[in-house]
Amino acid sequence: MNAPSAQIIRQRKRPRFSASILSFSLVCLIGLIELVREGRARITGIPVADLSDAGESTLLLGLVILGSWLAGRLVRAIALPPITGQLLFGVVIGPGLWEWLNRPSLALISHDQLASLHGAELLALVMIGLVAGSEIDGSLVRQRARAIVLIAIGQVSLVIVTVGAVAYAYFRSLEEAAICATLAATCSSAVSVALLREMRHPTSFARLLLATTVTKDLVLVIAFSIVLFAVATTATATGHAWYWIILHIAGSVVLGCALALPLRLALQQIEERMVAVVLVVAVLIVILCTITETAPLITALTLGYTARTVAPLASASFFATARRLFLPVCCIFFAAAGAHIDCGALVMNWPIVLALSSIRLGAIWTGTTLAARAVGLPSPMVRWAWAGFVPQAGISLALAAQVLIAFPTQSWARSLITIMIACITLNEIVGPVLMRIALRRVPESP
Amino acid sequence: MTSPLIWLAIGSIILVAGSRGVQRARRMFPVMRVLGGGWALLGFGVLVGPHAIGVFDDERLMQVQPIVLILLTWAGIVIGVQCRARFIIAIPRALWKWIGLDLFIGLLLSVVAAGLIARIWQPDSPAAAHILLSGTFAAFALGWNPESRSLGSRTDAPAVRMAVLVQAGAGMLAICTVVVSSLALQSGYEDAQGSVVFAPAGGMLALAMELCAVCVVALGAREILRDSREDDARTTLITIGALCILSGVAVSFGGSPLLTGLLFGAAIGLSRRRLRTLEHLISSAEPAVASGCFFFAGMTLALPQQSTTLIGGLAVGAIVLLLALARRVLKPLMMNLALSRERESVAIDSCAARAPVRQAPLTIIVLLAFAIHDSSGIADELLGVATLIALASIALTFFPRMPREAHASMRVPV
């Protein structure tokens, strides 16, 4: 046997990490963080609860990044998508689970510390948007425009009608049912792009799912704004919904397009330190969106798509670097999303949460399958396309938060949003698993 | 995210520093090679810092502290990665002698100076305070600037050998400086009331825990990266995660992020199987990390309070000049002593031989690590003095004027 082939065999035989080693590493990591915090508290006399300085922030960030990656790898061993592991890791370290179990002191991250991760979460959301935008294949969208539109219309209309009906029966309020139904129709671009990046060679099916999700979410954000405005005019709300519509949609898209030109010029001037450039662009988007009250995800999505289309050569290394940073970004974003999950609310409202989620699932399945069959997609796609629209995450949560902003004093808004967040949480956990099965079952069409 | 201005400022600085225009300017003006890069950013840091325009006040500086910690840890890793068995074996005897001499004399002078100063100003200060002061002075005294290309362009074999010795010596002494200063830093910590407690025993316990934590992170990262088959994204993730944890561990135990980074880097460098993707990632970020450290050092540094009056200012200036002159005299002397038997193979008279006169840029980074733990402002003032000494030592390198070096026709490999 010659040397190179022996080396190849050696490489193949090299053992990959088993589930037990990954679990041990995860336990070691959590133990290490606890040891450091306790050790410091013993030496300096500062109680663990009072440690909130720069060292504590970096320690927690390290825990979130490495821990959620290990958890993602761990669940991969049982054929689940890494996102599920990252979300579950977030649930375990976050305050929601331990508060529900009446053991708040066992949470590794407190509510205050979770709030301090908000900046990192926003950055992660923007990075996901940038990568998602760059992944949208313009030619595929043009080719499959009919399929995208029909699938989006099919499932959105059915979800709105069925979920709306159930919500009306439960809440006995047309306004609440309308908000609930529109929120249920949204799905997650972040999850789609994360699962797409997980595949070494994304199939045209995966790209179709992403394009449909992005298109649908853009339309739904507009629809949600209109619903919110309509409700605001009937109920006595703060009434800045029109401002919100214009800024959030038109403003986000315009800002994203406007940023593409300076980005192109900057990329022509800068030849090194691309990691820094990507981070700076992400930070700038967050700042501009905070100042102009626009949506960071939509802005980043638009910028990613425009820059990739307008300057494919100049932006190539920029997006390559963004994709390299995508893994840590996903770890932060999904672990933080998991840490935000309110397990108490999920358990307390489980009958209505289960009912709404099941109805939503059924409506997505029926609407998508009918539309896919009508446009003549290949049969594996027809069978599995629905599973790509079950996940919910960032954009759904952001829209839910807008209800609380628009109706800060109304008690119905608070209870409605608790139920909706519980539904989103359930779809957040179940959705990626279903989507991954779909992506695996549908081969690349010739 | 509470202060967008901070991020905007940092962002634009990074973008401008990496732009083609700045690179072109650096190539056009020779002075930029000596004072460019880090020094320019240090100047900019001073300008936007709390002592000048004030774009960054103390509160905003606190907000960016996690970034400073991560940069310092990264700097430690860059230094630690140099600990490779084949590098250490290849170091000639003469260089070991030179490093040993510099270390011995540097430490001796630091301890004596710390003892004298403590006896004059604070006669009843505890012994641990002397250790801390000695460690701080050691950061001034040990090592030198590794860069010698800006001083001359002789390419004959003895001159090139001299430049290589200067660079290798600076690298090894950088490791010594980080270890010595970090050990000293460990002798004291801030308690719940915010006052400094000098407890070397507690410090050593904290150091032991710090070492355990670094070992766990380094072993875990090494094993994962071995399995990753040089995967770019995973290497980036592990590096960022490890950086965050290492910097958190260091600060939690009152230690220096430079030391935890150095130990992690050494574990990677001494690894039997080379992790090329990680090493490339670490080395490619080196200029950005150095620039970042200098920028934050510029914002943190302060001139001694005494320098506000004319006489005080003159006194501070005189001390700075004296210390720079001491470098000008002692460093070449030590070099001559160590390399006396190598005169035929090493060009002691070349311009590269003057590089040890210049203070190591690492001094500023070490003092920045001190400043993170110190809320009294003394470390900020020491950082200011270190900057002045570094600038004075650069000026003294060119005094007396260097001979014009003959350009050899071809480069001779060492």
Side-chain angles (χ1 to χ4, degrees):
Chain A
M1 193 186 295
N2 59 4
S5 56
Q7 199 181 352
I8 290 166
I9 288 173
R10 240 194 335 270
Q11 272 182 358
R12 276 188 196 150
K13 280 186 177 173
R14 197 193 301 148
R16 303 294 301 255
F17 282 120
S18 64
S20 53
I21 293 178
L22 286 167
S23 316
F24 177 70
S25 310
L26 203 54
V27 171
C28 275
L29 182 70
I30 293 173
L32 177 75
I33 302 296
E34 276 301 286
L35 187 81
V36 170
R37 296 164 109 188
E38 285 293 335
R40 185 198 176 182
R42 290 271 167 87
I43 290 170
T44 59
I46 304 171
V48 177
D50 293 350
L51 302 177
S52 58
D53 57 3
E56 183 72 359
S57 311
T58 52
L59 206 60
L60 284 178
L61 199 60
L63 169 75
V64 167
I65 292 173
L66 290 181
S68 68
W69 179 76
L70 283 170
R73 293 265 303 180
L74 188 63
V75 298
R76 242 173 67 169
I78 47 170
L80 288 174
I83 293 172
T84 310
Q86 289 158 5
L87 281 166
L88 290 176
F89 178 74
V91 173
V92 171
I93 61 167
L97 175 73
W98 302 104
E99 278 171 5
W100 174 59
L101 293 172
N102 283 327
R103 296 270 189 283
S105 60
L106 288 178
L108 283 175
I109 299 184
S110 66
H111 282 292
D112 289 343
Q113 287 164 340
L114 201 56
S116 73
L117 279 179
H118 181 64
E121 278 177 69
L122 266 178
L123 264 186
L125 189 70
V126 166
M127 296 276 286
I128 288 171
L130 281 173
V131 175
S134 73
E135 293 284 355
I136 296 171
D137 188 346
S139 60
L140 183 94
V141 173
R142 279 190 293 277
Q143 273 173 20
R144 294 272 170 91
R146 192 165 158 260
I148 291 169
V149 171
L150 270 181
I151 289 174
I153 291 174
Q155 58 171 271
V156 168
S157 52
L158 217 57
V159 169
I160 286 181
V161 170
T162 51
V163 174
V166 174
Y168 182 74
Y170 183 77
F171 295 113
R172 295 277 160 207
S173 155
L174 201 62
E175 291 87 359
E176 288 177 60
I179 291 172
C180 188
T182 324
L183 264 180
T186 58
C187 42
S188 173
S189 312
V191 172
S192 301
V193 79
L195 288 170
L196 193 91
R197 291 294 322 148
E198 203 193 303
M199 304 170 84
R200 283 199 186 277
H201 304 288
T203 57
S204 56
F205 173 62
R207 292 188 182 281
L208 178 73
L209 288 184
L210 178 67
T212 314
T213 305
V214 172
T215 315
K216 206 181 83 167
D217 277 356
L218 277 174
V219 174
L220 279 168
V221 172
I222 300 169
F224 186 79
S225 311
I226 294 166
V227 168
L228 210 61
F229 176 71
V231 175
T233 47
T234 50
T236 50
T238 50
H240 70 289
W242 271 120
Y243 174 71
W244 191 83
I245 291 170
I246 293 162
L247 279 182
H248 259 71
I249 314 304
S252 307
V253 173
V254 167
L255 187 62
C257 291
L259 282 173
L261 189 66
L263 178 67
R264 185 189 169 180
L265 290 173
L267 290 176
Q268 282 168 349
Q269 280 298 311
I270 298 159
E271 52 192 9
E272 48 186 39
R273 299 178 195 178
M274 206 42 86
V275 175
V277 176
V278 172
L279 290 174
V280 164
V281 169
V283 169
L284 279 175
I285 293 174
V286 171
I287 293 164
L288 290 173
C289 289
T290 312
I291 295 168
T292 56
E293 288 190 33
T294 46
L297 183 66
I298 299 174
T299 308
L301 259 167
T302 321
L303 175 61
Y305 179 72
T306 320
R308 164 91 198 276
T309 316
V310 173
L313 279 177
S315 64
S317 76
F318 176 82
F319 287 119
T321 311
R323 279 180 207 118
R324 212 175 77 194
L325 293 172
F326 193 71
L327 189 59
V329 158
C330 270
C331 287
I332 296 172
F333 182 75
F334 291 110
H340 280 296
I341 287 175
D342 185 354
C343 296
L346 188 66
V347 173
M348 206 161 66
N349 299 301
W350 73 266
I352 181 67
V353 168
L354 205 63
L356 286 173
S357 299
S358 310
I359 294 290
R360 177 180 179 267
L361 193 71
I364 287 176
W365 180 76
T366 317
T368 312
T369 310
L370 288 175
R373 199 168 287 162
V375 290
L377 289 181
S379 66
M381 286 196 194
V382 173
R383 210 173 303 134
W384 285 104
W386 63 274
F389 304 104
V390 181
Q392 285 191 297
I395 206 154
S396 316
L397 289 170
L399 292 179
Q402 286 300 323
V403 179
L404 288 180
I405 294 168
F407 306 97
T409 51
Q410 277 82 345
S411 62
W412 63 263
R414 196 154 289 280
S415 62
L416 170 74
I417 289 314
T418 306
I419 289 169
M420 282 323 293
I421 287 177
C423 285
I424 293 166
T425 302
L426 194 64
N427 294 322
E428 205 173 1
I429 295 167
V430 177
V433 182
L434 290 171
M435 189 171 174
R436 196 184 193 216
I437 294 171
L439 291 174
R440 285 193 165 183
R441 293 284 169 93
V442 181
E444 178 63 300
S445 52
Chain B
M1 290 304 128
T2 46
S3 310
L5 202 59
I6 297 172
W7 300 103
L8 265 174
I10 294 172
S12 39
I13 289 160
I14 295 169
L15 286 175
V16 170
S19 68
R20 279 185 188 161
V22 172
Q23 308 291 333
R24 220 176 292 137
R26 219 181 261 183
R27 281 192 289 269
M28 271 169 69
F29 303 106
V31 70
M32 288 281 276
R33 277 186 236 151
V34 185
L35 280 174
W39 289 109
L41 279 169
L42 187 132
F44 192 72
V46 172
L47 195 70
V48 297
H51 305 294
I53 300 173
V55 175
F56 286 80
D57 54 16
D58 290 334
E59 195 190 326
R60 282 174 181 165
L61 269 177
M62 286 299 287
Q63 285 173 15
V64 292
Q65 225 182 42
I67 300 175
V68 183
L69 287 177
I70 290 172
L71 285 175
L72 287 170
T73 313
W74 201 309
I77 294 178
V78 171
I79 297 165
V81 161
Q82 296 175 97
C83 294
R84 281 198 204 128
R86 66 187 180 94
F87 283 1
I88 295 167
I89 292 166
I91 292 175
R93 217 165 149 194
L95 184 58
W96 279 122
K97 202 174 151 188
W98 189 6
I99 293 166
L101 202 62
D102 193 87
L103 194 61
F104 175 71
I105 295 178
L107 282 177
L108 188 74
L109 288 175
S110 307
V111 171
V112 170
L116 278 174
I117 288 173
R119 179 149 296 195
I120 295 164
W121 280 336
Q122 296 266 310
D124 52 345
S125 58
H130 294 215
I131 299 173
L132 187 62
L133 207 56
S134 305
T136 318
F137 289 158
F140 284 91
L142 298 180
W144 52 78
N145 193 331
E147 195 275 329
S148 60
R149 205 179 289 170
S150 60
L151 297 174
S153 51
R154 241 171 85 177
T155 50
D156 55 300
V160 173
R161 222 165 265 146
M162 183 71 229
V164 171
L165 287 183
V166 164
Q167 206 167 359
M172 291 309 292
L173 280 164
I175 296 170
C176 299
T177 310
V178 171
V179 172
V180 168
S181 61
S182 304
L183 286 176
L185 186 65
Q186 210 76 53
S187 62
Y189 62 84
E190 274 194 3
D191 66 0
Q193 282 73 43
S195 51
V196 180
V197 177
F198 291 106
M204 288 306 115
L205 181 71
L207 183 68
M209 290 173 86
E210 217 173 297
L211 287 178
C212 288
V214 173
C215 285
V216 171
V217 175
L219 281 174
R222 213 171 70 173
E223 288 308 308
I224 291 168
L225 289 176
R226 246 185 219 170
D227 182 64
S228 72
R229 292 184 179 84
E230 306 288 314
D231 180 344
D232 249 9
R234 200 180 300 178
T235 306
T236 311
L237 176 129
I238 299 298
T239 312
I240 296 173
L243 271 170
C244 290
I245 291 192
L246 291 172
S247 52
V249 164
V251 178
S252 297
F253 288 123
S256 167
L258 282 168
L259 183 66
T260 49
L262 183 135
L263 294 171
F264 180 82
I268 299 298
L270 291 170
S271 173
R272 221 179 295 156
R273 189 169 167 267
R274 284 193 69 188
L275 302 164
R276 287 178 199 281
T277 317
L278 177 65
E279 285 173 19
H280 174 71
L281 180 71
I282 292 167
S283 59
S284 63
E286 195 184 325
V289 169
S291 305
C293 285
F294 269 66
F295 174 63
F296 286 114
M299 287 197 292
T300 311
L301 68 83
L303 287 175
Q305 280 178 348
Q306 290 79 4
S307 61
T308 46
T309 60
L310 181 66
I311 296 170
L314 284 173
V316 170
I319 290 169
V320 165
L321 203 61
L322 201 68
L323 290 171
L325 272 170
R327 281 193 77 88
R328 181 70 188 86
V329 175
L330 285 175
K331 291 288 177 181
L333 199 67
M334 281 189 266
M335 184 191 67
N336 280 322
L337 270 174
L339 304 178
S340 56
R341 288 187 187 170
E342 312 286 327
R343 279 176 196 276
E344 284 179 11
S345 57
V346 178
I348 294 176
D349 57 338
S350 70
C351 289
R354 288 204 184 178
V357 171
R358 293 178 302 173
Q359 190 179 263
L362 182 69
T363 308
I364 287 165
I365 297 174
V366 167
L367 288 171
L368 181 64
F370 271 67
I372 283 174
H373 290 282
D374 173 47
S375 51
S376 67
I378 294 172
D380 300 358
E381 291 182 7
L382 282 171
L383 193 58
V385 172
T387 308
L388 292 176
I389 294 173
L391 291 171
S393 66
I394 289 172
L396 284 177
T397 313
F398 299 97
F399 181 79
R401 225 178 136 192
M402 283 186 286
R404 209 178 169 82
E405 285 190 335
H407 290 246
S409 56
M410 54 189 284
R411 182 173 284 274
V412 183
V414 179

